[in-house]
Amino acid sequence: DIQMTQSPSSLSASVGDRVTITCRASQSISIYLNWYQQKPGTAPKLLISAASSLQSGVPSRFSGSGSGTDFTLTISSLQPEDFATYFCQQSYSTPWTFGQGTKVEI
Amino acid sequence: QVQLQESGPGLVKPSQTLSLTCNVSGASITSGGYYWSWFRQLPGKGLEFIGYVYFTGSTYYNPSLKSRVTMSVDTSKNQFSLKLTSATAADTAVYYCARYPRIISSGLDFWGQGTLVAVSS
């Protein structure tokens, strides 16, 4: 299985901050990396697919980059509704695997 | 709008079979082009992929659970199902169903709200 490692596991930030979350794959996954946002008690929401493709309706302050083994999710100006846990997921090969999550807190 | 909704017992006894159904609305399972998937999230933990079923009935199961998992699709009811045999406390989790477009560059675009299943006597 491809192992996905996120860092940091949690971070404290303020409204307006620029936030960067990284995800590393245990082997090359090309660009097949997706990012999700999850708020307590709710299902994950797809933000970005194929490393950098923003899903319809997702604010442009979210962006993704990377290829191969190293990927980044950036929130350019953190908003109150962005406090949540973020997961990466590889769709390069089955079994699909997820990072352990990054909790973004105030 | 596509909606998925999980249903099933919230409590399962150890050694019994955990059974869940995901009802799909706003899209037809038989339209093709999607893998209908199951995931779980252990308390306070990350997400684990269980497997998926295609509308033809073909399946993929995560090798870590393969010996205990069966998935099926009921096209007449537009729903798909998960069975996990020999349940233990380690299977206590929130279970999600989700849709995955059969394109490698896609992500899981629609999810159910999740259902908590506890395995306990």
Side-chain angles (χ1 to χ4, degrees), chain A residues 41-42, chain B residues 5-12 18-21 38-45 89-97 112-120:
Chain A
T42 69
Chain B
Q5 177 70 58
E6 305 89 351
S7 62
L11 181 64
V12 174
L18 183 159
S19 295
L20 295 173
T21 296
W38 289 98
F39 298 83
R40 66 183 184 179
Q41 189 166 32
L42 281 62
K45 302 292 186 182
D91 295 314
T92 293
V94 176
Y95 286 77
Y96 295 98
C97 57
Q113 65 185 25
T115 186
L116 175 62
V117 179
V119 180
S120 174

Side-chain angles (χ1 to χ4, degrees), chain A residues 28-46:
Chain A
S28 177
I29 57 171
S30 185
I31 61 164
Y32 304 118
L33 187 284
N34 308 308
W35 289 100
Y36 301 85
Q37 176 193 67
Q38 186 177 33
K39 297 181 180 179
T42 69
K45 173 188 175 183
L46 179 63

